[in-house]
């Protein structure tokens, strides 16, 4: 079932807020900034992750060192799910941050 643009934006906003709260708890030197529908995380090792909302497709995109990923909302899981596989967003982001920058993100 398709979500409205307002529902989509609310879900992305909630996701970004939760991610920012988790990033604030990380014991590592990282910076992040949010604006214009984009959340950018800069790691101590010089790499970056970019999270962006894509209203035309109702997707949340992640650009990481390992590639680009697209996620759609999965109501049953109450999380975003990778459109090319079965990965859920939160555990995927945790694994990507560990792999890309050695960051231990506690986000469940």
């Amino acid at each position: 079932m398709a979500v409205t643009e307002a529902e989509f934006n609310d879900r992305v906003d909630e996701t970004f807020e939760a991610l920012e709260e988790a990033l604030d708890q990380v014991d590592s030197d990282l910076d992040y900034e949010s604006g214009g529908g984009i959340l950018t995380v800069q790691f101590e090792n010089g790499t970056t992750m970019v999270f962006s909302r894509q209203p035309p497709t109702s997707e949340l995109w992640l650009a990481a060192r390992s590639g680009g990923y697209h996620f759609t909302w999965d109501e049953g899981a109450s999380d975003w799910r990778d459109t090319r596989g079965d990965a859920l967003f939160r555990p995927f982001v945790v694994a990507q941050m560990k792999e890309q920058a050695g960051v231990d993100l506690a986000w469940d």
Side-chain angles (χ1 to χ4, degrees):
M1 182 173 101
V3 297
T4 67
E5 188 170 341
E7 291 170 326
F8 166 74
N9 283 318
D10 287 346
R11 288 189 179 122
V12 173
D13 290 343
E14 291 168 4
T15 301
F16 281 8
E17 288 170 17
L19 179 53
E20 289 173 17
E21 288 175 15
L23 290 169
D24 285 340
Q25 304 305 314
V26 170
D27 187 26
S28 179
D29 188 19
L30 59 79
D31 293 312
Y32 67 87
E33 71 178 68
S34 183
I38 298 173
L39 173 64
T40 304
V41 182
Q42 178 77 38
F43 298 103
E44 193 173 6
N45 67 1
T47 65
T48 303
M49 282 184 159
V50 180
F51 301 86
S52 62
R53 73 179 72 216
Q54 301 297 320
T57 58
S58 296
E59 292 179 347
L60 175 57
W61 290 3
L62 167 60
R65 188 170 62 187
S66 62
Y69 304 91
H70 301 184
F71 295 84
T72 56
W73 184 254
D74 182 333
E75 194 66 46
S78 295
D79 198 359
W80 300 90
R81 188 174 297 278
D82 184 5
T83 60
R84 293 180 293 185
D86 207 31
L88 289 175
F89 186 72
R90 287 182 181 225
F92 185 80
V93 170
V94 168
Q96 287 295 305
M97 288 193 178
K98 181 70 171 177
E99 178 184 317
Q100 179 168 324
V103 169
D104 290 316
L105 181 70
W107 193 30
D108 45 28

